[in-house]
């Protein structure tokens, strides 16, 4: 995963290597890079402790990405890790803007081929479709005289990495807004029904304290903890876990988020 993150970081050498190299093909002879540019007749073999994959002094411009792929058997693992990375990045895109991610996919296609990146193309299309759907829902809500505060990324489940599972009960204040979005969406897309992933997303909260007001971005489960308190001056860990219908092990780090 660290290699994939470096591949798509625009300031990294691997990103430059992706831009300048050609298509990567799986090599039948794994781990061996042949140097066609050695003209020194005084050539001597590498010492026995040297690794099979290397960058020779005669080829300072060797294709680093191809060398890495040759180490890891084939290119499929790189593409799969990139899909996971892309999914995470797209779900965090503010205002559905994904110019950086589009560029990353295009760069990957140059090196790994269009067919290998088909799932990534579907993910990008899902984000673009979600932006249009968000506009439709906002306009429909406005016609009904109220503002829609919920924005959703609607994905094709079979093309995205499995979402993490978190077992807790969302507070009524949050589920009411979520259900309003679902109602408007399903009136526009009658044949479809939304299935929400409560572990994902961000909730923006305005918190009023005695001396100031804070705007805080939190995960849904973290926001649920704050809603559980309501007007209570305090709660025990057991009471919070009971209110969220979750384990104490799940509730504790969400409580510590607010303590911090």
């Amino acid at each position: 995963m660290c290699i994939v993150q470096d591949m798509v970081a625009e300031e990294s050498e691997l990103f430059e290597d992706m831009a300048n190299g050609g298509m990567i093909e799986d090599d039948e002879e794994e781990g061996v890079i042949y140097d066609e540019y050695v003209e020194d007749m005084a050539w001597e073999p590498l010492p026995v402790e040297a690794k099979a994959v290397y960058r020779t002094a005669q080829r300072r411009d060797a294709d680093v990405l191809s060398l890495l792929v040759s180490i890891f058997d084939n290119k499929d693992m790189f593409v799969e890790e990139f899909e996971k990375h892309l999914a995470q990045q797209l779900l965090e895109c503010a205002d559905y803007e994904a110019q950086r991610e589009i560029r990353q996919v295009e760069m990957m296609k140059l090196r790994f081929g269009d067919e290998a990146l088909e799932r990534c193309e579907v993910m990008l299309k899902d984000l673009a479709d979600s932006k249009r759907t968000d506009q439709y829902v906002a306009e429909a809500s406005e016609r009904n005289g109220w503002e829609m505060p919920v924005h959703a990324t609607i994905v094709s489940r079979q093309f995205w990495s499995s979402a993490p599972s978190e077992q807790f009960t969302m507070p009524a204040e949050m589920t009411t807004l979520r259900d309003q979005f679902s109602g408007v969406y399903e009136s526009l897309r009658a044949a479809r029904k939304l299935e929400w992933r409560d572990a994902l997303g961000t909730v923006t909260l305005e918190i009023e304290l005695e001396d100031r007001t804070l705007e805080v971005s939190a995960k849904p489960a973290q926001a649920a903890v704050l809603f559980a308190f309501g007007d209570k001056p305090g709660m025990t860990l057991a009471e919070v876990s009971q209110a969220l219908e979750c384990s104490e092990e799940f509730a504790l780090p969400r409580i510590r988020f607010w303590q911090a």
Side-chain angles (χ1 to χ4, degrees):
M1 185 60 177
C2 292
I3 295 175
V4 170
Q5 290 176 347
D6 201 38
M7 283 166 51
V8 296
E10 296 191 7
E11 68 280 1
S12 73
E13 292 183 7
L14 268 182
F15 185 84
E16 294 179 7
D17 193 67
M18 281 182 60
N20 298 326
M23 182 78 71
I24 293 176
E25 301 291 346
D26 291 333
D27 197 339
E28 293 180 0
E29 297 192 46
E30 301 173 2
V32 178
I33 302 299
Y34 294 101
D35 194 334
E36 301 172 358
Y37 297 88
V38 177
E39 298 178 355
D40 184 3
M41 299 306 294
W43 174 86
E44 294 181 2
L46 290 172
V48 293
E49 64 271 16
K51 293 184 178 180
V53 178
Y54 65 96
R55 177 183 289 185
T56 67
Q58 291 79 8
R59 293 188 66 188
R60 297 292 182 184
D61 61 342
D63 188 343
V64 180
L65 189 56
S66 293
L67 299 181
L68 288 170
V69 171
S70 72
I71 294 172
F72 293 101
D73 295 336
N74 59 55
K75 62 186 181 182
D76 293 343
M77 185 176 66
F78 281 85
V79 175
E80 290 171 6
E81 287 298 326
F82 176 74
E83 288 173 357
K84 295 175 185 177
H85 170 80
L86 180 67
Q88 181 180 351
Q89 293 298 110
L90 292 179
L91 290 173
E92 294 175 357
C93 282
D95 301 324
Y96 306 100
E97 294 300 325
Q99 294 305 314
R100 181 185 62 180
E101 288 73 20
I102 292 172
R103 174 170 165 77
Q104 290 173 358
V105 171
E106 291 302 316
M107 297 293 287
M108 290 286 288
K109 285 164 65 176
L110 289 175
R111 301 308 307 273
F112 294 95
D114 292 0
E115 185 177 352
L117 276 296
E118 284 181 350
R119 291 169 63 93
C120 296
E121 289 286 1
V122 173
M123 287 190 272
L124 291 174
K125 182 179 182 301
D126 283 345
L127 192 72
D129 290 345
S130 295
K131 182 177 182 178
R132 287 191 291 270
T133 299
D134 183 73
Q135 293 171 343
Y136 295 152
V137 171
E139 292 168 1
S141 301
E142 189 175 349
R143 288 195 296 269
N144 291 328
W146 49 280
E147 183 180 356
M148 172 57 69
V150 176
H151 307 277
T153 300
I154 303 169
V155 306
S156 305
R157 180 167 51 188
Q158 65 270 32
F159 291 97
W160 289 66
S161 302
S162 300
S165 177
E166 292 185 353
Q167 299 297 323
F168 71 99
T169 298
M170 293 274 279
E173 295 89 340
M174 295 169 67
T175 56
T176 298
L177 295 174
R178 191 180 65 181
D179 292 345
Q180 288 175 348
F181 186 98
S182 294
V184 177
Y185 173 81
E186 289 165 17
S187 68
L188 297 170
R189 303 283 190 271
R192 299 186 180 182
K193 183 178 179 63
L194 293 179
E195 184 177 313
W196 294 86
R197 291 290 182 262
D198 295 336
L200 304 174
T202 302
V203 182
T204 303
L205 301 169
E206 189 175 273
I207 303 172
E208 294 183 4
L209 305 177
E210 289 182 355
D211 58 340
R212 64 193 186 281
T213 300
L214 301 176
E215 186 174 285
V216 179
S217 293
K219 293 295 183 183
Q222 294 166 341
V225 167
L226 202 61
F227 278 110
F229 276 81
D231 296 327
K232 301 182 183 69
M235 295 178 73
T236 66
L237 175 59
E239 289 171 339
V240 172
S241 61
Q242 183 178 4
L244 269 61
E245 298 182 353
C246 66
S247 66
E248 293 186 5
E249 291 77 11
F250 179 85
L252 186 57
R254 279 81 189 171
I255 294 172
R256 285 177 174 162
F257 169 83
W258 294 109
Q259 290 176 325

